[in-house]
Amino acid sequence: MIRVAILASGTGTNALKLIEAAKLLPRVSIELVIVDQMQAPLLQTLKDSESGLNLQMILQDHSLKGSDRRKEHEKRVLQALHAENIHYIFLAGYMRILSAEFVSLYRGRLINIHPSLLPKFPGLHAYEQAFAAKESHSGVTVHFVDEGVDTGAIIAQAQFPRLDSDSITDFIARGKSLEWNLYPEVLKRLDRDGKL
Ligand code: GAR
């Protein structure tokens, strides 16, 4: 089995789609979901669904400062990943930049979904950036994570048009529905090919 972990910080709609898709896959299993925010809606959703998933909340220690805080947090995340012998990590709205050390440990096995047609609009609020730039179309990207911000090699992309009548809400909704299709497709590819 290919053992996958999901790291999420928020609503976790992408995480939920991955969890749903994995149920039908013979070689991929979601062995761990790590949430780093006590208020993350995903935490409640998964608790309520009694999914039986290994769900761990790993919070930052706010008594520590700056880089010590991040190092300690990553150490605890890594311990959880190692304990479950995780092969691939899928970031699903995980709002932390991972250190170069972390990235090097999972190089080629650390995946992210980003809401733009990278290399356009990296960083935060990518849908809003693309909408403000009046792009005629935008899209979503699944990519490997490297040491940069949204600079890793692209695994898959999907495009959608911007309609004249679009509000930002319409625009984001169209993008999100593509994300919910594309990310599970990549998980299916991992299942089929045994690697990405
Ligand atoms: C998604 O739109 C994802 O593409 C984006 O955060 C959202 C998380 O939503 N990720 C990034 O912007 C990464 N740079 P979700 O928690 O409902 O999956």
Side-chain angles (χ1 to χ4, degrees):
M1 287 302 273
I2 301 171
R3 300 170 68 84
V4 170
I6 297 173
L7 271 55
S9 302
T11 320
T13 57
N14 280 292
L16 293 169
K17 293 290 179 188
L18 291 173
I19 291 166
E20 200 179 299
K23 287 181 188 158
L24 303 172
L25 300 178
R27 292 169 70 191
V28 161
S29 74
I30 309 290
E31 292 293 337
L32 177 62
V33 180
I34 294 177
V35 175
D36 69 340
Q37 300 289 332
M38 206 178 333
Q39 306 302 336
L42 175 65
L43 210 52
Q44 205 53 51
T45 312
L46 286 179
K47 278 184 187 162
D48 291 348
S49 71
E50 294 176 8
S51 59
L53 280 166
N54 180 358
L55 172 64
Q56 297 190 25
M57 180 172 67
I58 302 182
L59 305 178
Q60 282 201 333
D61 178 350
H62 285 274
S63 68
L64 299 172
K65 298 268 171 277
S67 66
D68 284 348
R69 186 189 290 178
R70 178 164 95 165
K71 269 190 200 149
E72 171 63 17
H73 186 253
E74 282 194 356
K75 198 171 119 192
R76 293 178 54 217
V77 170
L78 282 170
Q79 279 167 353
L81 295 167
H82 289 156
E84 290 298 337
N85 188 22
I86 294 300
H87 302 127
Y88 278 83
I89 302 170
F90 279 61
L91 306 181
Y94 190 64
M95 297 320 272
R96 293 188 194 287
I97 306 286
L98 293 163
S99 69
E101 293 75 32
F102 190 109
V103 170
S104 71
L105 287 171
Y106 283 91
R107 191 178 303 284
R109 300 182 295 134
L110 183 54
I111 321 296
N112 185 39
I113 186 157
H114 182 79
S116 76
L117 281 180
L118 289 173
K120 282 188 168 177
F121 310 117
L124 290 175
H125 310 302
Y127 282 131
E128 288 80 357
Q129 291 186 58
F131 190 79
K134 303 201 185 312
E135 296 285 295
S136 64
H137 64 276
S138 192
V140 301
T141 302
V142 176
H143 65 97
F144 290 109
V145 177
D146 67 6
E147 286 77 5
V149 176
D150 303 320
T151 51
I154 290 170
I155 298 169
Q157 285 187 312
Q159 293 195 15
F160 64 91
R162 178 197 175 133
L163 307 183
D164 289 343
S165 58
D166 269 359
S167 66
I168 179 70
T169 313
D170 301 327
F171 186 77
I172 292 175
R174 199 164 312 116
K176 279 278 196 182
S177 64
L178 278 190
E179 290 189 48
W180 298 334
N181 185 53
L182 191 68
Y183 221 8
E185 282 305 322
V186 171
L187 197 68
K188 286 176 201 163
R189 195 192 299 178
L190 176 62
D191 181 74
R192 190 189 62 219
D193 298 346
K195 61 181 175 52
L196 287 176

